[in-house]
Amino acid sequence: MLKNFFFKNFPYIYYSKKQTNKMSSSLKIFIYLHILCAISLNAQNQSEESTLLQQNDKLIGIDNLSFTNGTIHINYDITKNKENHRYLVSNEYVKGTFTYKNQKYYDLLLNYDIYEDQLICIPNIENNYIKLNLIKKNIDDFKIDNKHFKNLNIVQKNNTITGFYEEKKINSSIILYIKHTKEKKEILQDQKVISEFNSAKNYIISLNNEFFKINTERDFHSIFPSKRNEINTFYKEYENLEKQNKEEFIIKLIKTINN
């Protein structure tokens, strides 16, 4: 590639060695200066091209991408403190990724409204007061706060599973899905309507691509009938863990009975 560049711009430098030796010193200096000048101009052109591409990206703007046709997100909640809210972690927006119409988008400011089961995005950091509810049916998955969520739409027998579920792969055949929910209660206080949110989680597993609710000991017996004794023993041994951290309890139980 470099040889082609030189041959195109300086065909005379491909003289034979005998011919080159006959050149005068002043001619050689002229050639070298010409080469240096051309290389500098070529580098400048490449830099200008890169700058133009960046300016073109800004001109098109992220505001014109397909996911920016959602509705404006407005939160009217008045809560007692910042720790009580409708979102996954806090009221603050953090960088995350999502797949929208099979297209990945990276490092955008996101938040997950658990109460409404809604992914929210700030499409333009410079105008961060504009928050958009992304169109849910177009979202395949998203990652926020080191948690990966899948948009499920499963209909099987008498069981329908829809919405965003946190995904945790346990082994090659079992995936745990966690449904984060928040219940909202409104209280009249000092002539203001105060919102209070209580968090809860529900669990399902995908076992060989079939989905099962898995919130109780009976659910485990139904899914793993041959492991009944092991399940009973585990529930007795790890009773405190189930109360303190249900998610960790379920993962540990599944790994134990599938060793």
Side-chain angles (χ1 to χ4, degrees), residues 234-235 238 242 245-253:
F234 190 93
Y235 263 86
Y238 292 97
E242 183 188 13
N245 192 325
K246 184 69 175 286
E247 181 180 322
E248 185 180 336
F249 173 86
I250 289 175
I251 292 173
K252 189 177 183 68
L253 173 54

Side-chain angles (χ1 to χ4, degrees), residues 151-168:
N151 190 5
L152 299 182
N153 187 14
I154 309 297
V155 179
Q156 57 178 35
K157 299 179 182 177
N158 297 324
N159 195 13
T160 300
I161 302 165
T162 59
F164 294 125
Y165 281 76
E166 183 184 356
E167 180 184 72
K168 290 196 172 185

Side-chain angles (χ1 to χ4, degrees), residues 63-81:
D63 295 340
N64 294 315
L65 296 174
S66 64
F67 67 83
T68 58
N69 57 354
T71 58
I72 300 295
H73 177 76
I74 302 174
N75 181 4
Y76 293 111
D77 296 332
I78 300 174
T79 57
K80 289 182 178 180
N81 52 62

